[in-house]
Amino acid sequence: DARVTQTPRHKVTEMGQEVTMRCQPILGHNTVFWYRQTMMQGLELLAYFRNRAPLDDSGMPKDRFSAEMPDATLATLKIQPSEPRDSAVYFCASGLVGTPGEQYFGPGTRLTVT
Amino acid sequence: QKEVEQNSGPLSVPEGAIASLNCTYSDRGSQSFFWYRQYSGKSPELIMSIYSNGDKEDGRFTAQLNKASQYVSLLIRDSQPSDSATYLCAAEGGSQGNLIFGKGTKLSVKP
């Protein structure tokens, strides 16, 4: 069945290292969202794309985070350099322009930065 | 700053009871509202959407919206232990289609 996939599922890295997370949206979906979830802040929107074009990345720390969609089947979120405060679960979600509230979430990447 | 507020809980109800989850939102321009359920260690999944004032029922779930009070609620009738999860309330944040999520209410249904 159709689902959003994310890799890796878990990542442990040292402070200062580069981290790349990947997402494959559901085939045919034309919006992609990146979220970060922590106990303290809840679910925060980092960036989103419509038809591969970035619409808003105001939720991302610009100096270290970047998000791209090189093609319709791949979205990436990169952190360079990583810091301990980046430790969180990162979710990718996809949907359709016509039903903006219906977002389908991937399983998430649990990132730990030591 | 557009916000969605929820009581973090935990909300504990006995099996078979009605669970009532509430949220408020700050942006009067929001038109669409959603409830997502998130089991521990899993990703959120959409369970209800509501767009107009009043009630919307789907099986054991009823979503209620009052735009004048900027208030959204979710009722779960005949609560089951399998309903134990965190429930996230979300409001559409703008014309671009993004959602603003509350921090969620943790529900525990005791057998």
Side-chain angles (χ1 to χ4, degrees):
Chain A
D1 59 331
R3 61 183 65 187
V4 177
T5 59
Q6 289 185 247
T7 57
R9 294 292 307 277
H10 302 272
K11 177 72 175 180
V12 180
T13 191
E14 292 183 349
M15 182 173 62
Q17 296 298 305
E18 178 179 301
V19 175
T20 298
M21 290 170 269
R22 293 177 174 81
C23 166
Q24 181 171 9
I26 292 173
L27 189 64
H29 281 189
N30 50 16
T31 58
V32 172
F33 305 83
W34 282 106
Y35 293 93
R36 174 172 62 185
Q37 188 174 42
T38 60
M39 289 293 292
M40 290 297 294
Q41 299 299 325
L43 199 60
E44 302 174 279
L45 179 66
L46 298 175
Y48 63 102
F49 296 80
R50 180 190 294 175
N51 295 319
R52 294 177 54 203
L55 287 190
D56 187 5
D57 61 1
S58 59
M60 285 200 312
K62 296 291 191 306
D63 56 339
R64 299 184 300 109
F65 284 59
S66 62
E68 295 180 342
M69 273 203 80
D71 62 61
T73 64
L74 177 65
T76 62
L77 180 66
K78 191 173 296 187
I79 308 174
Q80 169 63 26
S82 58
E83 297 180 1
R85 59 180 167 153
D86 300 329
S87 297
V89 180
Y90 290 80
F91 288 107
C92 173
S94 71
L96 294 169
V97 172
T99 54
E102 295 181 19
Q103 298 182 13
Y104 296 81
F105 283 74
T109 294
R110 182 174 294 275
L111 174 65
T112 302
V113 184
T114 61
Chain B
Q1 180 85 356
K2 299 175 183 178
E3 293 183 336
V4 173
E5 301 282 346
Q6 293 182 256
N7 187 325
S8 63
L11 174 66
S12 183
V13 301
E15 183 174 357
I18 296 175
S20 178
L21 306 159
N22 308 308
C23 90
T24 58
Y25 59 95
S26 63
D27 182 12
R28 283 200 171 273
S30 293
Q31 296 295 316
S32 307
F33 304 89
F34 307 87
W35 284 98
Y36 282 74
R37 178 177 62 200
Q38 186 175 22
Y39 292 114
S40 181
K42 301 296 184 180
S43 54
E45 59 176 332
L46 178 67
I47 56 172
M48 288 287 284
S49 58
I50 187 164
Y51 305 97
S52 53
N53 278 329
D55 295 0
K56 178 182 177 183
E57 187 175 315
D58 184 1
R60 295 186 297 112
F61 297 91
T62 298
Q64 299 175 317
L65 173 60
N66 183 326
K67 291 186 179 179
S69 301
Q70 295 176 240
Y71 181 89
V72 191
S73 65
L74 179 70
L75 301 178
I76 307 175
R77 290 183 300 281
D78 187 25
S79 296
Q80 301 297 309
S82 58
D83 295 325
S84 297
T86 296
Y87 290 80
L88 303 170
C89 176
E92 191 174 344
S95 59
Q96 303 287 18
N98 61 304
L99 292 179
I100 300 169
F101 283 88
K103 292 185 179 180
T105 298
K106 186 172 184 177
L107 172 67
S108 178
V109 181
K110 303 295 187 185

